Amino acid sequence: MGKIVDLEEGLELVQKGITKLTNILEGRAEPSFITDECMMLYTTIFNIASRNHPQDHSQLLYDKYRELLEDYLTSEALPALSEKHDEVMLLELVHRWKNYKVMVRWLTHFFFYINRYYIPRRSLTPLAEVGLNCFRQLVYQVLKDKVRDAVISLINRERDGEQVDKTLLKNVLNIFVEIGSGKTHYYETDFEAHMLRETSTYYSQKASIWIVEDSCPDYMFKAEECLKREKDRALHYLHEISEPKLLQKVEDELLSPYTNQLLENETSGCHVLIRDNKVDDLSRMCRLFCKIASGMNLISEIIKQQVTAELTVLMKQAEDAASNKKPEKKDEIGLQELVLVRSVIELNAKYLAFSNDCFQNNSPLRKPLKQIFEVFCNKGFSGNSCVELLATFCDHTLKKGATKNSSEAVEETIEKTKDSSYGDITSLSQTVKLLAYVNDIDLFAEIHRQKLARRLLFNRSAHDDYERSMLKKLKQQFGWQVTWKMEGMVTDMTLAREIQSSFEEYLKSNRQENPGTDLSVTVLTTRFWPGYKSHDLNLPSELIKCVQAFKIFYETTYRRKLTWLYSLGSCIINAKFGERTIELIVTTHQAAVLMLFNSADRLGYSEIKSQLAMTDDEVTRLLHSLSCARYKILNKEPNSQSISRTDYFEFNSEFTEAMKRIKIPPPPVDERNKVIQDVDKGREYAIDAAIVRIMKNRKVIVYQQLVGECMEHLNHVFKPDIKAIKKRIEALITREYLERDQKNPSIFRYLA
Amino acid sequence: MRRSSTRKTGSALPVNPSSGSSDAYRSASSKAVSKEVERIDNLFYAYADASSGLIDPEGIESFCSDLEVDYTDVRILMLAWKMKAEKQGYFTLEEWRRGLKALHADTISKLKKSLSELEKEVARPTNFSDFYSYSFRYCLTEDKQKCIDIESACELLDLVLGFQFRPQVDKLVEYLKHQRDYKVINMDQWTSFLRFCNEINFLSLDNYDAELAWPLILDNFVEWIREKQS
């Protein structure tokens, strides 16, 4: 129950309470409030303001509240602040603000009653806000410029390396925010705008000094440092909205105006960093310029030029070396071409690594690198297509070291030094990366398959594991269509070895079946291997026995039809030259020729031809390899360098050679045309299959769409020619897989 | 129209007409109509081979000489079209009746006179493309034959399109004989030749677009012409 309090009395009590509060806040000797005192103040207000009172003094109290605060500020806070400057002033301000907030809180408690009923009823500004407004009008507006300048000066001192009171700055800047009731309007206008301007000035000055004094990497290092520090600054005491604006200013002053100057710097710019492999500096360059479009474009350009230049140098070196080749070896792929391929592979790998390290995903380098290497990969070099070069390179990498003595250990040959002309196994991944640029990968695959066949069949492969590893990488890159046959080939070799073992076992237990000559047979699954012509050759009787023996063994155990490919076989023949016996390693065909001389001393060309039942072309090449090449096992009459149909041949018993076993080089085989034929046929099938698949799916389709989808289907293996696609469409129309629409000739329909 | 020498026995269509069609006529019966049918049939039997009951190449030859039209003349082809004759070199009774009735010709002289009307009828665009397709099919003499050889195609083009599209036909025939890519022509290509003649400006070829769905043979043809012009 409130007693009726006289207004004058009540106000006096309140004033006393305020004074006490002020004293406490000012640190003057004053005992703290006790609960009763607080209650009394509250009750006093209550009584004055309550409706029970004959006169309603709520408005008066409301005004009094403000009055009290204003008094407090003008008598205590302002004087204290005006006599101070700089950092000291800032400290005082923070202190004053803290105290003021306490004051406001306490007063609001005391005046609670009107806050609760009177103010809402009259839609007046609540007490807390009134308090805020007072401070803002009396203190903030007066001092804000001084405060701002003091803060900025501290920031600059920190930039120059001094330690400053970060907490103080944070607290001061908080005031800017709190003064706007949490909105950043005052902060932005009264502080941030100026701070940003100052920042620009500061960095503009620094930049103009550094750009003259520092190398590009050093400059970039400093720039990155600055950005880091500004970010920290924003984190520690600026409001979060300032961070992006601040960093932008730094970039605008340090990086944007000097982009070209830095990147194109003669002695330390981008191309120098690339040349010297400075990955860290390049990464920094990319990080810094990633937001500056002109910068990224320039970096891309410079790298492109660098790559093109390096590539051109490599090609020139190779061309020069190639021009020194002997005329008869002009079209052969020799050492210099292989070195070129290896260098280009390494070049590509280097720049791919750069690209990934500096840019990670979405590297702006990916496209230009692709363009540059694509050009290289799809044109020719000194008479050979790049596809052939790459296939030959792979062949060398996967071969055992080429030596005369074929019993060299496999392990030794794998240890190839970097300086050797051959690649090493680890470069296979890099090779496949370069292959990704090749348009006609099916052509590469076909050549690779041909060479793989030779490696496998003539036991020249370094190791099965390496072959499989390469095939696996190719499969990952290009899909199973490109590699399934080759995988079959490698597996075939393992199976063939097993069959051979069984055969040898069989011969041991069936001695009567032994043909009298050691025989080793490799059984191949036809569809995996390149097509080899297999024509019947009139074999010498010894070999006929061998073939028979194996046939019996195989057909009883495996029941499959065998087709014999003598063109791929080899024989070891003991040749007696006078007293000396030399082992000759020859092809089966060569053996067939030589064995003829067991029963005749002298044979003419036509006799040899008819006895063997071969074509002129084959006979010519065979006889050439035995009589006009390095080892003249046969003497030719007349003794010219080319074979003619009137020549006569005799066994050369005078032949001498230091080694006990020599390999007679076989006649060279040019598989190029066959490869191209096979690839073209393969493409026809692939296009047919793609068209049928698309038509089955779509049922009805517009011509352009059919072509487009066809290209998409096939693109990863080869780039189909539009004419080729049209031709296949025609063929499929004839075979009634599809028909043209009667009314609209651009539309095709699937015929089930 | 080439005489087909390979066909010895065709799967002969029934000699006796289906009673249906004759009934239709009999029901609309007037003496004149049935007289016409009789005369038509008699004319048929005048040329037909007794054992097969069809008019065979020999019969056609003598029919043509009576008509005073060469058997290679396009009007004979048109007649075959009107008859909807299925096998080159042979007419069945049904086909014969069909054609002659449609032409209202029951004697040789009436037939002779009707030929110019027939030419006009064929020339009408809607009929012409049907006639044009028909002429290709008519040349497919073997079972399951889908294409005709280049030589025959050239002759047929000349016969069928020569009158309307002389310059195109000459050029096309020259090309077809010159090129080595194609040994036969399929129906799709054949159809496209007519479309080409109708749609493409000749000799300028300015509105020919190889990006469209034209058969490759025409793309190559156009390329060949353009190369020769430059």
Side-chain angles (χ1 to χ4, degrees), chain A residues 11-205:
Chain A
L11 287 178
E12 231 181 271
L13 278 172
V14 171
Q15 185 62 61
K16 272 202 201 126
I18 299 315
T19 311
K20 182 180 170 85
L21 180 57
T22 307
N23 288 339
I24 294 174
L25 288 175
E26 294 303 307
R28 299 176 198 136
E30 179 78 49
S32 346
F33 278 92
I34 53 178
T35 324
D36 278 355
E37 285 171 305
C38 298
M39 273 309 293
M40 189 263 298
L41 285 165
Y42 175 85
T43 319
T44 312
I45 306 257
F46 172 83
N47 284 335
I48 300 175
S50 93
R51 269 177 269 155
N52 291 336
H53 201 275
Q55 292 155 340
D56 187 349
H57 296 299
S58 298
Q59 184 61 42
L60 197 133
L61 284 175
Y62 184 71
D63 295 333
K64 188 70 180 170
Y65 172 87
R66 167 191 273 109
E67 225 182 272
L68 288 169
L69 286 176
E70 284 173 353
D71 278 343
Y72 171 71
L73 286 176
T74 34
S75 58
E76 304 288 346
L78 271 176
L81 284 168
S82 357
E83 66 196 20
K84 299 194 173 63
H85 307 277
D86 306 317
E87 196 167 343
V88 181
M89 173 198 60
L90 293 178
L91 282 161
E92 183 65 36
L93 177 67
V94 170
H95 172 70
R96 286 283 151 201
W97 173 245
K98 196 159 144 234
N99 280 357
Y100 184 73
K101 283 192 279 192
V102 172
M103 169 69 78
V104 168
R105 204 167 46 243
W106 279 74
L107 275 194
T108 310
H109 281 324
F110 296 154
F111 282 71
F112 182 70
Y113 186 73
I114 57 170
N115 210 19
R116 192 146 177 235
Y117 296 105
Y118 178 73
I119 284 169
R121 224 186 308 139
R122 299 287 177 101
S123 305
L124 296 172
T125 318
L127 291 180
E129 208 179 312
V130 170
L132 194 69
N133 294 344
C134 286
F135 190 91
R136 186 171 53 237
Q137 281 158 13
L138 290 180
V139 178
Y140 175 82
Q141 296 292 12
V142 169
L143 291 175
K144 66 183 183 187
D145 288 348
K146 264 182 89 179
V147 171
R148 170 199 74 207
D149 291 340
V151 170
I152 289 177
S153 143
L154 278 176
I155 290 179
N156 279 346
R157 275 160 60 186
E158 192 187 31
R159 284 180 176 145
D160 285 334
E162 265 185 58
Q163 294 274 45
V164 300
D165 186 349
K166 296 203 229 286
T167 319
L168 171 62
L169 287 170
K170 188 176 174 77
N171 290 336
V172 171
L173 292 176
N174 263 347
I175 298 177
F176 279 84
V177 178
E178 282 176 86
I179 211 74
S181 310
K183 302 235 173 53
T184 53
H185 165 72
Y186 291 104
Y187 171 84
E188 288 181 62
T189 325
D190 298 332
F191 168 74
E192 195 192 55
H194 294 261
M195 185 271 293
L196 289 174
R197 270 203 294 276
E198 277 297 314
T199 306
S200 292
T201 315
Y202 179 86
Y203 281 109
S204 155
Q205 279 174 0

Side-chain angles (χ1 to χ4, degrees), chain A residues 703 723 726 730 734 740, chain B residues 182 186 188 213-214 219 223:
Chain A
Y703 167 72
K723 282 199 169 194
K726 259 199 181 179
E730 260 178 11
T734 309
R740 201 186 288 262
Chain B
Y182 294 91
N186 69 22
D188 182 62
W214 293 103
D219 290 349
E223 214 177 290

Side-chain angles (χ1 to χ4, degrees), chain A residues 690-709:
Chain A
I691 294 177
V692 172
R693 212 179 316 134
I694 295 168
M695 291 307 301
K696 237 180 161 165
N697 205 354
R698 300 267 180 204
K699 304 283 188 270
V700 178
I701 196 170
V702 175
Y703 167 72
Q704 276 88 350
Q705 201 181 344
L706 178 59
V707 171
E709 289 196 19

Side-chain angles (χ1 to χ4, degrees), chain A residues 703-704 722-724 726-727 730-731 733-734 736 739-740 742 745-748, chain B residues 146-147 181-182 186 188-189 195 210-217 219-220 223:
Chain A
Y703 167 72
Q704 276 88 350
I722 294 203
K723 282 199 169 194
K726 259 199 181 179
K727 194 125 203 250
E730 260 178 11
I733 290 178
T734 309
E736 293 182 345
E739 65 175 3
R740 201 186 288 262
Q742 298 284 19
S746 292
I747 295 184
F748 291 97
Chain B
K146 302 261 160 45
C147 305
D181 295 322
Y182 294 91
N186 69 22
D188 182 62
Q189 289 159 324
R195 199 159 50 89
E211 304 265 309
L212 297 178
W214 293 103
L216 188 59
I217 194 172
D219 290 349
N220 294 348
E223 214 177 290

